[in-house]
Amino acid sequence: MRGYPQGIVAVLCGLALSQCVIAEELKMTPADWRTVKEGLLEDNGKGYYIDILQQDSFGFFGLRYGDESNQLTGYSMGNSWSIDDMPEGETIPTQCWNEQTKKWIDQDDRMDRDIRIEHNKIHTHYTGTNVPIVLTVTPFDTQSAAWQQQLQQYPQGLKFQQVKWPAHVYKVKTVQTRDVMCRDTDTIKYPIRGDRSSIEKLDNSIIVNSLFREFYPDGYHGSRGEFTLNDGRHFTWRLQSTTLGEQLLALQQDFEMETGGFEEPVYYQWQPDGWLQQVQLHTRTDDKRPTAERLVFPSEFARKLATHLKSVGTPMPSFDDFESLIDAQEDE
Protein backbone atom coordinates (compact mmCIF):
# COMPACT_ATOMS: atom_id res chain seq x y z
CA MET A 1 0.00 0.00 0.00
CA ARG A 2 3.02 2.31 -0.34
CA GLY A 3 2.04 5.70 -1.69
CA TYR A 4 -1.09 6.26 0.36
CA PRO A 5 -1.13 9.58 2.18
CA GLN A 6 0.54 9.53 5.59
CA GLY A 7 -1.75 8.67 8.47
CA ILE A 8 -3.80 6.16 6.61
CA VAL A 9 -3.36 2.73 7.48
CA ALA A 10 -3.49 0.27 4.49
CA VAL A 11 -3.03 -3.32 5.76
CA LEU A 12 -4.32 -6.21 3.73
CA CYS A 13 -7.62 -6.89 5.40
CA GLY A 14 -9.59 -7.75 8.51
CA LEU A 15 -13.12 -7.35 9.72
CA ALA A 16 -13.70 -3.64 10.26
CA LEU A 17 -17.44 -3.47 10.78
CA SER A 18 -19.51 -4.22 13.83
CA GLN A 19 -21.78 -6.75 12.14
CA CYS A 20 -20.83 -10.00 10.49
CA VAL A 21 -22.61 -11.72 7.62
CA ILE A 22 -22.65 -15.50 7.63
CA ALA A 23 -21.91 -16.41 4.03
CA GLU A 24 -23.39 -19.44 2.39
CA GLU A 25 -21.11 -22.45 2.59
CA LEU A 26 -19.44 -22.28 -0.82
CA LYS A 27 -16.44 -24.39 -1.76
CA MET A 28 -13.54 -22.81 -3.59
CA THR A 29 -13.21 -24.22 -7.10
CA PRO A 30 -10.03 -24.18 -9.23
CA ALA A 31 -11.54 -21.22 -11.12
CA ASP A 32 -12.10 -19.39 -7.83
CA TRP A 33 -8.48 -19.92 -6.79
CA ARG A 34 -7.25 -18.67 -10.17
CA THR A 35 -9.15 -15.42 -9.63
CA VAL A 36 -7.86 -14.98 -6.08
CA LYS A 37 -4.27 -15.74 -7.06
CA GLU A 38 -4.41 -13.36 -10.02
CA GLY A 39 -5.81 -10.64 -7.78
CA LEU A 40 -3.39 -11.05 -4.90
CA LEU A 41 -0.43 -13.31 -5.55
CA GLU A 42 0.75 -13.10 -9.14
CA ASP A 43 4.34 -12.05 -9.86
CA ASN A 44 3.39 -9.71 -12.72
CA GLY A 45 2.97 -6.68 -10.44
CA LYS A 46 -0.77 -6.45 -11.00
CA GLY A 47 -3.61 -6.62 -8.50
CA TYR A 48 -7.40 -6.62 -8.56
CA TYR A 49 -8.97 -5.82 -5.22
CA ILE A 50 -10.46 -3.10 -3.06
CA ASP A 51 -9.83 -2.34 0.61
CA ILE A 52 -12.71 -0.69 2.46
CA LEU A 53 -12.63 0.80 5.93
CA GLN A 54 -15.37 2.59 7.83
CA GLN A 55 -15.32 3.89 11.39
CA ASP A 56 -17.98 6.28 12.62
CA SER A 57 -18.13 9.12 10.08
CA PHE A 58 -14.70 8.48 8.55
CA GLY A 59 -14.39 6.18 5.52
CA PHE A 60 -11.59 5.07 3.23
CA PHE A 61 -11.17 2.82 0.21
CA GLY A 62 -8.16 1.82 -1.85
CA LEU A 63 -8.73 0.19 -5.24
CA ARG A 64 -6.08 -1.61 -7.27
CA TYR A 65 -7.11 -2.33 -10.85
CA GLY A 66 -4.05 -3.50 -12.70
CA ASP A 67 -0.43 -2.47 -12.33
CA GLU A 68 0.82 -0.07 -9.66
CA SER A 69 -0.10 3.01 -11.69
CA ASN A 70 -3.78 1.98 -11.61
CA GLN A 71 -4.78 2.86 -8.07
CA LEU A 72 -7.73 4.84 -6.80
CA THR A 73 -8.33 6.06 -3.27
CA GLY A 74 -11.30 7.69 -1.62
CA TYR A 75 -11.92 9.44 1.70
CA SER A 76 -15.16 10.53 3.31
CA MET A 77 -16.50 12.37 6.28
CA GLY A 78 -20.12 11.22 6.21
CA ASN A 79 -21.44 10.28 2.76
CA SER A 80 -19.41 12.80 0.72
CA TRP A 81 -16.42 11.15 -0.97
CA SER A 82 -13.22 12.69 -2.31
CA ILE A 83 -11.57 10.55 -4.98
CA ASP A 84 -7.90 10.55 -5.91
CA ASP A 85 -6.05 8.83 -8.75
CA MET A 86 -2.84 7.60 -7.23
CA PRO A 87 0.14 8.61 -9.37
CA GLU A 88 2.75 5.97 -10.01
CA GLY A 89 5.36 6.54 -7.34
CA GLU A 90 8.94 5.52 -6.99
CA THR A 91 9.44 2.08 -5.47
CA ILE A 92 11.52 2.36 -2.32
CA PRO A 93 13.62 -0.73 -1.50
CA THR A 94 12.80 -2.08 1.94
CA GLN A 95 14.12 -4.64 4.39
CA CYS A 96 12.45 -6.51 7.24
CA TRP A 97 13.94 -7.84 10.45
CA ASN A 98 14.24 -11.62 10.66
CA GLU A 99 13.95 -12.82 14.25
CA GLN A 100 15.68 -16.12 13.55
CA THR A 101 18.76 -14.87 11.69
CA LYS A 102 18.88 -11.51 13.49
CA LYS A 103 19.44 -9.81 10.14
CA TRP A 104 17.68 -7.29 7.89
CA ILE A 105 16.35 -9.14 4.82
CA ASP A 106 15.48 -7.46 1.51
CA GLN A 107 11.84 -7.77 0.54
CA ASP A 108 9.91 -7.09 -2.65
CA ASP A 109 6.41 -7.74 -1.38
CA ARG A 110 4.39 -8.09 1.80
CA MET A 111 3.73 -11.80 1.38
CA ASP A 112 6.12 -14.60 0.59
CA ARG A 113 5.37 -16.37 -2.70
CA ASP A 114 5.91 -19.73 -1.00
CA ILE A 115 2.28 -20.54 -0.19
CA ARG A 116 0.25 -23.52 0.93
CA ILE A 117 -3.50 -23.76 0.30
CA GLU A 118 -5.61 -25.70 2.77
CA HIS A 119 -9.38 -25.70 2.35
CA ASN A 120 -10.27 -21.98 2.07
CA LYS A 121 -7.04 -20.71 3.65
CA ILE A 122 -3.75 -19.52 2.17
CA HIS A 123 -0.74 -20.06 4.43
CA THR A 124 2.35 -17.97 3.78
CA HIS A 125 4.87 -15.75 5.59
CA TYR A 126 5.70 -12.07 5.71
CA THR A 127 8.55 -11.80 3.21
CA GLY A 128 12.00 -12.06 4.75
CA THR A 129 10.66 -13.15 8.13
CA ASN A 130 9.35 -16.27 9.84
CA VAL A 131 6.06 -14.57 10.78
CA PRO A 132 3.08 -16.63 9.53
CA ILE A 133 0.26 -15.00 7.58
CA VAL A 134 -3.04 -16.79 7.05
CA LEU A 135 -5.55 -15.50 4.51
CA THR A 136 -9.08 -16.84 4.85
CA VAL A 137 -11.07 -16.60 1.62
CA THR A 138 -14.87 -16.43 1.66
CA PRO A 139 -16.51 -16.74 -1.78
CA PHE A 140 -19.80 -14.98 -2.46
CA ASP A 141 -22.39 -15.73 -5.10
CA THR A 142 -23.47 -12.18 -5.92
CA GLN A 143 -27.03 -13.34 -6.60
CA SER A 144 -27.37 -14.62 -3.02
CA ALA A 145 -29.03 -13.05 0.00
CA ALA A 146 -25.70 -13.29 1.85
CA TRP A 147 -24.08 -10.96 -0.70
CA GLN A 148 -26.93 -8.47 -0.43
CA GLN A 149 -26.43 -8.44 3.34
CA GLN A 150 -22.72 -7.93 2.83
CA LEU A 151 -23.32 -4.94 0.55
CA GLN A 152 -25.42 -3.27 3.23
CA GLN A 153 -22.40 -3.13 5.54
CA TYR A 154 -20.37 -0.94 3.19
CA PRO A 155 -20.61 2.88 3.16
CA GLN A 156 -23.84 3.91 1.49
CA GLY A 157 -22.08 6.78 -0.27
CA LEU A 158 -20.21 4.25 -2.43
CA LYS A 159 -23.56 3.17 -3.95
CA PHE A 160 -22.48 -0.46 -4.29
CA GLN A 161 -26.12 -1.49 -4.75
CA GLN A 162 -25.97 0.15 -8.21
CA VAL A 163 -22.93 -1.87 -9.33
CA LYS A 164 -23.37 -4.88 -11.60
CA TRP A 165 -21.05 -7.25 -9.75
CA PRO A 166 -19.47 -10.30 -11.38
CA ALA A 167 -20.92 -13.73 -10.59
CA HIS A 168 -18.45 -14.31 -7.76
CA VAL A 169 -16.58 -11.99 -5.38
CA TYR A 170 -14.16 -13.05 -2.65
CA LYS A 171 -13.73 -11.55 0.80
CA VAL A 172 -10.25 -12.05 2.24
CA LYS A 173 -9.41 -11.77 5.93
CA THR A 174 -5.73 -11.75 6.92
CA VAL A 175 -4.27 -12.81 10.24
CA GLN A 176 -0.66 -11.94 11.12
CA THR A 177 0.40 -13.58 14.37
CA ARG A 178 3.37 -11.39 15.38
CA ASP A 179 4.73 -7.90 14.80
CA VAL A 180 7.01 -7.24 11.82
CA MET A 181 9.53 -4.41 11.75
CA CYS A 182 10.79 -3.08 8.41
CA ARG A 183 12.89 -0.16 7.23
CA ASP A 184 13.86 1.57 4.01
CA THR A 185 17.12 0.14 2.71
CA ASP A 186 18.54 3.67 2.79
CA THR A 187 17.09 4.21 6.23
CA ILE A 188 16.94 7.55 8.02
CA LYS A 189 18.98 7.76 11.21
CA TYR A 190 19.15 10.57 13.75
CA PRO A 191 21.96 10.97 16.30
CA ILE A 192 20.69 10.78 19.88
CA ARG A 193 21.57 14.05 21.59
CA GLY A 194 21.28 13.40 25.30
CA ASP A 195 21.36 10.38 27.61
CA ARG A 196 22.05 7.32 25.44
CA SER A 197 22.01 4.72 28.20
CA SER A 198 18.56 3.31 27.36
CA ILE A 199 15.37 4.11 25.53
CA GLU A 200 13.61 4.51 28.90
CA LYS A 201 15.65 7.70 29.37
CA LEU A 202 13.89 9.42 26.47
CA ASP A 203 12.13 12.66 27.31
CA ASN A 204 10.93 15.75 25.45
CA SER A 205 14.33 17.39 25.48
CA ILE A 206 16.13 14.40 23.95
CA ILE A 207 13.42 13.86 21.31
CA VAL A 208 13.30 17.51 20.24
CA ASN A 209 17.08 17.87 20.33
CA SER A 210 17.50 14.70 18.23
CA LEU A 211 14.61 14.91 15.74
CA PHE A 212 13.78 18.65 15.65
CA ARG A 213 17.21 20.13 16.25
CA GLU A 214 16.30 23.63 15.05
CA PHE A 215 13.69 23.97 17.86
CA TYR A 216 16.07 23.11 20.68
CA PRO A 217 16.37 24.40 23.37
CA ASP A 218 13.84 27.25 23.37
CA GLY A 219 11.53 26.44 20.45
CA TYR A 220 9.13 24.04 22.15
CA HIS A 221 7.07 23.49 25.30
CA GLY A 222 5.13 20.61 26.81
CA SER A 223 4.97 17.94 29.49
CA ARG A 224 6.00 14.28 29.44
CA GLY A 225 4.43 12.42 26.54
CA GLU A 226 3.55 15.52 24.50
CA PHE A 227 5.12 18.72 23.20
CA THR A 228 4.34 21.60 20.87
CA LEU A 229 6.91 23.20 18.58
CA ASN A 230 6.91 26.96 18.11
CA ASP A 231 5.67 26.51 14.52
CA GLY A 232 2.38 25.14 15.94
CA ARG A 233 2.92 21.43 15.34
CA HIS A 234 1.84 19.29 18.28
CA PHE A 235 3.16 15.78 18.95
CA THR A 236 2.41 13.00 21.38
CA TRP A 237 4.78 10.12 22.05
CA ARG A 238 5.04 6.85 23.92
CA LEU A 239 7.26 3.80 24.16
CA GLN A 240 5.62 0.82 22.43
CA SER A 241 6.52 -2.76 23.27
CA THR A 242 6.59 -5.22 20.37
CA THR A 243 6.51 -8.99 20.02
CA LEU A 244 10.11 -8.62 18.81
CA GLY A 245 11.14 -8.17 22.43
CA GLU A 246 12.04 -4.50 22.27
CA GLN A 247 10.53 -1.06 22.63
CA LEU A 248 10.14 1.56 19.93
CA LEU A 249 9.54 5.28 20.17
CA ALA A 250 6.09 5.96 18.69
CA LEU A 251 5.82 9.65 17.72
CA GLN A 252 2.52 10.97 16.39
CA GLN A 253 1.64 14.40 15.06
CA ASP A 254 -1.84 15.62 15.89
CA PHE A 255 -3.82 17.02 12.96
CA GLU A 256 -6.87 19.24 13.02
CA MET A 257 -8.56 17.12 10.36
CA GLU A 258 -10.43 14.17 11.85
CA THR A 259 -9.23 10.79 10.58
CA GLY A 260 -11.36 8.47 12.69
CA GLY A 261 -8.41 7.28 14.76
CA PHE A 262 -6.70 5.56 11.84
CA GLU A 263 -3.58 7.71 11.69
CA GLU A 264 -0.37 5.88 12.48
CA PRO A 265 2.64 7.18 14.43
CA VAL A 266 6.16 7.28 13.08
CA TYR A 267 8.32 4.66 14.79
CA TYR A 268 11.96 4.90 15.76
CA GLN A 269 14.22 2.08 16.91
CA TRP A 270 16.76 2.79 19.64
CA GLN A 271 20.29 1.92 18.47
CA PRO A 272 22.84 1.11 21.19
CA ASP A 273 25.50 2.92 19.14
CA GLY A 274 23.67 6.22 19.67
CA TRP A 275 21.13 6.56 16.85
CA LEU A 276 17.36 6.68 16.43
CA GLN A 277 16.50 4.73 13.28
CA GLN A 278 13.16 5.29 11.55
CA VAL A 279 11.29 2.02 10.97
CA GLN A 280 7.83 0.80 9.99
CA LEU A 281 5.97 -1.39 12.47
CA HIS A 282 3.39 -3.77 11.02
CA THR A 283 1.60 -4.90 14.13
CA ARG A 284 0.09 -8.31 14.59
CA THR A 285 -3.61 -8.73 13.89
CA ASP A 286 -5.70 -7.38 16.73
CA ASP A 287 -9.47 -7.79 16.61
CA LYS A 288 -9.80 -4.69 18.79
CA ARG A 289 -8.26 -2.47 16.11
CA PRO A 290 -10.41 -1.41 13.15
CA THR A 291 -8.85 -2.57 9.91
CA ALA A 292 -9.79 -2.62 6.26
CA GLU A 293 -11.80 -5.38 4.61
CA ARG A 294 -10.59 -6.65 1.25
CA LEU A 295 -12.68 -7.80 -1.71
CA VAL A 296 -11.04 -9.60 -4.65
CA PHE A 297 -12.68 -9.94 -8.06
CA PRO A 298 -11.93 -10.88 -11.69
CA SER A 299 -9.51 -8.58 -13.51
CA GLU A 300 -12.05 -7.59 -16.18
CA PHE A 301 -14.37 -6.18 -13.49
CA ALA A 302 -11.77 -4.02 -11.75
CA ARG A 303 -11.75 -1.16 -14.24
CA LYS A 304 -15.57 -1.08 -14.27
CA LEU A 305 -15.52 -0.62 -10.51
CA ALA A 306 -12.97 2.19 -10.89
CA THR A 307 -15.30 3.97 -13.32
CA HIS A 308 -18.20 3.63 -10.87
CA LEU A 309 -16.20 4.92 -7.91
CA LYS A 310 -15.03 7.96 -9.85
CA SER A 311 -18.69 8.79 -10.49
CA VAL A 312 -19.78 8.77 -6.84
CA GLY A 313 -17.28 11.32 -5.55
CA THR A 314 -15.50 14.52 -6.42
CA PRO A 315 -11.83 14.69 -7.43
CA MET A 316 -9.52 15.45 -4.55
CA PRO A 317 -8.10 19.00 -4.80
CA SER A 318 -4.50 19.38 -5.87
CA PHE A 319 -2.06 20.49 -3.20
CA ASP A 320 -2.21 24.12 -4.40
CA ASP A 321 -6.01 24.06 -4.49
CA PHE A 322 -6.09 22.46 -1.05
CA GLU A 323 -3.96 25.27 0.39
CA SER A 324 -6.29 27.83 -1.23
CA LEU A 325 -9.31 26.15 0.37
CA ILE A 326 -7.66 26.28 3.79
CA ASP A 327 -6.76 29.96 3.32
CA ALA A 328 -10.34 30.75 2.28
CA GLN A 329 -11.71 29.01 5.37
CA GLU A 330 -9.32 30.94 7.62
CA ASP A 331 -10.42 34.23 6.03
CA GLU A 332 -14.12 33.55 6.73
Side-chain angles (χ1 to χ4, degrees):
M1 305 292 288
R2 184 180 298 278
Y4 286 168
Q6 184 178 2
I8 299 299
V9 179
V11 295
L12 265 179
C13 54
L15 189 58
L17 305 175
S18 58
Q19 298 180 347
C20 182
V21 171
I22 304 300
E24 298 171 352
E25 191 66 26
L26 297 178
K27 292 184 178 180
M28 293 288 290
T29 67
D32 292 327
W33 281 119
R34 281 195 296 272
T35 299
V36 171
K37 288 181 180 180
E38 182 182 29
L40 295 179
L41 303 172
E42 290 297 322
D43 292 326
N44 58 11
K46 296 183 178 182
Y48 306 96
Y49 54 80
I50 186 171
D51 295 319
I52 308 168
L53 185 149
Q54 180 75 41
Q55 181 73 12
D56 299 326
S57 62
F58 178 79
F60 163 81
F61 74 78
L63 172 69
R64 178 79 175 271
Y65 57 106
D67 59 35
E68 291 186 359
S69 64
N70 292 330
Q71 297 187 48
L72 194 69
T73 57
Y75 307 89
S76 76
M77 295 299 298
N79 284 329
S80 178
W81 285 84
S82 296
I83 312 296
D84 186 28
D85 274 303
M86 292 293 294
E88 185 173 7
E90 179 184 359
T91 300
I92 300 176
T94 58
Q95 302 171 323
C96 292
W97 181 252
N98 188 293
E99 297 175 70
Q100 289 180 320
T101 64
K102 305 300 180 184
K103 294 180 179 179
W104 291 98
I105 307 297
D106 293 336
Q107 71 148 16
D108 296 322
D109 204 335
R110 185 180 188 277
M111 291 182 299
D112 201 309
R113 298 306 180 184
D114 182 16
I115 67 171
R116 174 173 57 88
I117 294 176
E118 182 181 27
H119 302 302
N120 67 329
K121 298 181 184 296
I122 301 173
H123 298 265
T124 183
H125 289 80
Y126 205 113
T127 302
T129 78
N130 62 327
V131 177
I133 292 179
V134 179
L135 295 85
T136 302
V137 182
T138 302
F140 281 93
D141 179 340
T142 57
Q143 299 302 310
S144 67
W147 176 245
Q148 295 306 311
Q149 286 181 274
Q150 184 71 25
L151 287 180
Q152 292 175 12
Q153 295 188 22
Y154 297 128
Q156 294 303 301
L158 296 180
K159 300 181 181 179
F160 277 172
Q161 301 285 358
Q162 300 178 10
V163 175
K164 185 178 181 180
W165 294 88
H168 295 94
V169 172
Y170 310 88
K171 184 172 72 174
V172 182
K173 181 178 181 179
T174 301
V175 173
Q176 176 187 312
T177 58
R178 299 196 301 279
D179 298 336
V180 171
M181 183 169 62
C182 301
R183 69 179 187 181
D184 295 343
T185 302
D186 296 325
T187 187
I188 302 174
K189 290 185 177 182
Y190 303 87
I192 300 170
R193 296 183 172 94
D195 193 331
R196 300 180 179 180
S197 57
S198 72
I199 192 171
E200 284 81 6
K201 298 294 185 179
L202 278 175
D203 58 20
N204 285 348
S205 65
I206 297 176
I207 293 173
V208 173
N209 196 12
S210 303
L211 301 180
F212 306 98
R213 176 71 170 169
E214 64 273 26
F215 292 92
Y216 184 85
D218 301 319
Y220 76 98
H221 62 276
S223 56
R224 180 167 179 81
E226 61 86 22
F227 60 85
T228 300
L229 302 177
N230 282 359
D231 64 2
R233 287 180 291 167
H234 182 261
F235 295 85
T236 56
W237 64 272
R238 67 183 187 276
L239 299 183
Q240 179 161 328
S241 299
T242 74
T243 63
L244 301 167
E246 64 176 292
Q247 289 184 309
L248 301 178
L249 166 63
L251 180 67
Q252 186 160 312
Q253 182 176 353
D254 295 339
F255 296 96
E256 292 184 4
M257 185 181 112
E258 183 182 352
T259 56
F262 298 118
E263 65 275 9
E264 283 286 315
V266 178
Y267 294 98
Y268 299 89
Q269 181 190 31
W270 178 274
Q271 303 267 284
D273 59 356
W275 296 84
L276 284 174
Q277 171 180 256
Q278 187 172 332
V279 296
Q280 302 100 39
L281 180 65
H282 307 289
T283 56
R284 65 183 178 87
T285 304
D286 183 352
D287 289 338
K288 296 179 182 179
R289 293 186 65 201
T291 52
E293 183 173 296
R294 172 162 291 188
L295 296 177
V296 182
F297 28 71
S299 58
E300 60 270 17
F301 169 74
R303 191 170 292 275
K304 296 177 183 178
L305 183 57
T307 300
H308 168 78
L309 290 170
K310 290 178 181 180
S311 74
V312 302
T314 57
M316 190 171 294
S318 66
F319 182 77
D320 291 340
D321 291 339
F322 189 68
E323 281 194 324
S324 298
L325 288 173
I326 294 176
D327 292 340
Q329 290 176 350
E330 291 177 347
D331 292 339
E332 289 180 356

